Amino acid sequence: MKLQTVVGWAVAGTAATAATMAPNADVYLPPKVTVVGQREQQLLCDHPIYCNGPLLNKIMLSGVFDKDKSFVDMPTRKPLKDVLAAFSSLPSNATKSQVASFVDENFYPAGYDVVEAELDDWTETPPFLNGVTDPVLRGYGMSVHNQWKKLARKHDPSRLCDGCVSSLLATNHTFIASGGAKSREFTYWDTYYINLGLLQSGLYKTARGVLGNLLGTIKLYGFVPTGGRVYFTDRSGLPLLALMIKDYYEATLDLSLVKEALPLLVKEHEFWDTYRSVNITYTPNSSLLNNRKRQNGPAVVTSKITTPGPDLFLTAGSTDAAVARPEQYLADTATSKIEPAAPDLFDTALKPGDFYAVTEAGTMPSVQYANSTTAEVGPSLFTTALRRRSLDIPTTNPFSSFTRDQLLVLGSVGVNDTIAVNINSILYQSEIAIAGFYELLHNNTHTKESLYFRDRARNRQKVMIDLTYNPETGLFADYHIHSGRQSNVWTINSHWSYWAFSDQLAPESAQQGLDSLRQLHAKFPGGLPNTYYNTSLLWDWPNVQTPMQHMAIRSASSIERLPQYRKRNGNGSVSASIAQSTLGSAFCNWYTTGGSISDVLNPYDNAPSNSSGVSFGSYAIGADGNIDTTTDASDPGNYAWTNGVVLWVFEQYKTQIQIPKCPNIKLNIVHHPTPTPSPTQPPPTSLPPTPTKCTPKYKCKHCKCRLRRRRPLKRSNSAY
C-alpha cells in the first residue's frame, strides 16, 4: 500500500491504527533548492474604514458586534469625509454604547447595497436532466437547480448617497452568493464550482456575467481578490479563472469572451509571477518522467515556482493594528496575544501582514502540517493557517491534548517557504489553457505567446516532478524550501497533480495515484477528508469539503482515460464511485434537512418543518467513514459550490448515478401501485412466439423442423 509511506499516523477515531499507517520506507530526499533574489512585496489594503486605521480598531475592539464581518460589510449613511469627521469627535475612551450609537448614525446594516436579482435566462428544463429518468434523481436535481434563484444577487449603489462608501466591489452583472450566512459578495474559489453548475443548468448568460465580474476586478487590481470586498484586495484565491473561461467556451463556443478574457488572464498570471513566485536553482536527482531517466550531473535547473501567501507591507501612515484581517479582526487580535501554552510547540513572533499571508494560503488550502525531521508544523487551516512548531511527531495525534485556543496560536510564518502541489498544478493547467486560447484565436496554430506559456507549463511541471514527486511512492507532497524536504503528512490536495498532468507521468506512477484514491474511497465512502488530523477546525478530519471531492473525481478520471490505464482486481471506475458518494452525501443532508419531492419522495420523519432542504458546503464523516447527516439547516455554510459540483456530477455521470443510500436513514419514497394487465392481453414473454412453420427469419432456432444440411449462413449481427 503506497499510501502508507506518506501517512505518519492515524487520526483518532478511525478504524486505522498507528501501526498500520506508520511509514515503512526510507524518507525520499528531493534536491535542495536555493532561492535567488526576493519577490516583490504587495501593498496592503489601506481604506480608512474597511481595511485598517483607528476607526476600524475602535469599533472592532468595542465589542459592539458578535461577528467581525458584520461591520466591514456595512455601507455608510453619509459621505466618507463626514463619517471620519464624526469619528474624530468621538471620545478616546468612548463606551460601548457610544460606539454603538456612532455606528447606527453613520452606517447602514450589513449588505444594505446588495439586493436579490432575477435570472434573465432562467429555464425550467435544465439540460443536465436530459437522459435522467429516475423520478427521485430528477426531483433532487431540479431542487438544486432551483436554488440558483435564491442565491442570485446584484450590487445596487442607487441605495447610497453621493460620497457614501461601501466595502463591496462594484460589479456590473449578477453574481451568485456562496450561500453562507455571512455571504454578501462573490468569492473567487467558490465561483469556479458555481460556474460549473450554471453551465450544467443552461444558464449561460448568467455564467458569462459571473465571469465578467471576475474579469472586471483584474482590470482594477491586476488580479482576482479572494472575495468581492475591498478588504480582500490584498489577497487572492486559487487562480482558477482560466479554467472557468475554458469550461464556458467548451459549453457555449462563445469566442467573444475568450477574446475579452485573454489579455486579462495574462495580467493575472503576471500578478502570480510577481507577488507569489520565487526564482530557484537546484541540481535534480535521478527520476523518471515518461519513462525517460534523467541522470545526476552538473546541470542546474533555474526556474520560477509559486508559493502561496503574499508578502505584504504597510504604508507609512498605517498602524500596527493592520496585523489583523478586517473580516476576522477581533479573533486575529485576540489570537496574536495568546501566551504560548508550551514554548516548544508555539512561537508567536508576528509581524504586520502575517494574518493576510496565511489566510490566503489557508484558503488554497495548502495543508502543510509537519515535517518530523525539521520539527515544523505548518499552515493548513481555513481560519488560521499559520505554522505551528513541534519537536517531534508522535504516533498519535499531536494536537489532541491542546485546546482550541491553543491551536489558534500563530507562529513564524512559513507559507512562503512552501511549494504547494495544488496551486502549482492549477497554474500549470492555467498556462496550458492560456496557450490554447492563443492558438484558438489564431486558427489553431502556435504563436509566440502560446509557445511561451507552454514552455512555462513544461518548466513548472519539471520542477514539481523534481521537488514534490516521490518516485518511491508514486505520490506528490508539498516541498519545504528551507529544509529541502517533502511533507510527510498526507493531504488530499497532493492529488491535484494527477488531474493536471497524469498523462505526463510514467504509467506505474499514474496507477499508484489511482490506487491511492481507490483505497481512500474504500476507507472513507462518505467523502475523502482533507487530512487525517483531528484538530476540531474546519479543514481537517472529520470534515469533508465538496471541492476536494470534485478534484479527486477529476484526478481519477484523468488517469482512467489514459491508454495504459488498467482496472485492477476487476474493480469499477474510481471516479464514478467518488462521484456517486459525493452526490449521496449532498442528497442525504438535503433530505434530512427537509428536502422532499411532490408525489415522489415524502419528507424525512425527523426533518425540520421550517426548511425545504439544503446541501451543505462542508459536512462530517463518522468513524466508519460514512457521512454523519444532520437535521440542523440553520447554517449550511457555503453550499453554492456543493450545488455546482452536484449538477456537474449529474451531467458527467448521468448514466451511472443511482438513488443514494443514506446510512441509518429511511427514504420515504412514494410507491405507486403497478397497473394490473388486462385479462385479454397475452402474458408477456421474453421470446417471440413459436412459428407454425420454418421460415428464413427464425433459421430453425424457434421452430420445430427437421435438421438438415444447409448452406453456411452469412455472418450477421442478428441475434438469431
Side-chain angles (χ1 to χ4, degrees), residues 556-579:
S557 177
S558 294
I559 300 171
E560 290 170 340
R561 290 199 304 267
L562 297 176
Q564 68 269 22
Y565 164 70
R566 59 188 183 278
K567 296 179 182 178
R568 295 192 170 184
N569 303 322
N571 293 326
S573 167
V574 177
S575 61
S577 297
I578 302 176

Side-chain angles (χ1 to χ4, degrees), residues 191-247:
T191 301
Y192 172 78
Y193 305 96
I194 289 169
N195 181 63
L196 273 184
L198 293 174
L199 295 176
Q200 315 313 316
S201 288
L203 303 179
Y204 306 120
K205 180 181 178 182
T206 300
R208 198 186 199 287
V210 165
L211 298 177
N213 289 334
L214 301 187
L215 293 172
T217 64
I218 300 178
K219 294 177 183 177
L220 291 174
Y221 304 103
F223 68 102
V224 181
T226 298
R229 294 280 173 180
V230 67
Y231 50 77
F232 286 132
T233 56
D234 43 29
R235 288 164 281 168
S236 186
L238 289 169
L240 290 162
L241 183 54
L243 300 187
M244 298 186 214
I245 301 296
K246 180 175 180 287
D247 289 336

Side-chain angles (χ1 to χ4, degrees), residues 413-473:
V413 180
V415 295
N416 296 334
D417 181 52
T418 299
I419 297 175
V421 172
N422 63 338
I423 190 172
N424 281 285
S425 297
I426 292 169
L427 284 167
Y428 170 90
Q429 293 172 301
S430 297
E431 287 158 351
I432 293 296
I434 292 172
F437 293 150
Y438 274 114
E439 292 159 5
L440 181 64
L441 296 177
H442 291 82
N443 297 319
N444 295 318
T445 59
H446 291 303
T447 67
K448 179 179 68 175
E449 295 83 1
S450 73
L451 291 174
Y452 167 79
F453 279 99
R454 290 195 181 279
D455 186 60
R456 288 296 307 274
R458 185 163 48 249
N459 289 337
R460 187 181 301 275
Q461 178 209 57
K462 176 178 168 38
V463 173
M464 292 185 66
I465 293 293
D466 287 341
L467 302 182
T468 68
Y469 176 69
N470 187 332
E472 297 174 6
T473 66

Side-chain angles (χ1 to χ4, degrees), residues 588-656:
C588 293
N589 267 325
W590 167 82
Y591 182 59
T592 57
T593 54
S596 63
I597 306 166
S598 177
D599 204 35
V600 173
L601 180 66
N602 289 332
Y604 176 53
D605 295 339
N606 298 322
S609 58
N610 59 347
S611 171
S612 58
V614 65
S615 300
F616 284 63
S618 172
Y619 55 91
I621 52 176
D624 61 355
N626 286 306
I627 181 178
D628 278 347
T629 53
T630 179
T631 58
D632 182 7
S634 59
D635 187 12
N638 294 357
Y639 64 88
W641 62 15
T642 297
N643 289 355
V645 173
V646 164
L647 300 187
W648 176 83
V649 166
F650 263 95
E651 176 60 32
Q652 298 297 318
Y653 295 92
K654 63 175 58 180
T655 62
Q656 297 166 272

Side-chain angles (χ1 to χ4, degrees), residues 314 319-325 332-333 336 350-356:
L314 306 178
T319 67
D320 289 339
V323 70
R325 297 164 291 166
D332 286 356
T333 302
S336 66
L350 289 174
K351 67 179 188 298
D354 280 0
F355 287 89
Y356 293 85

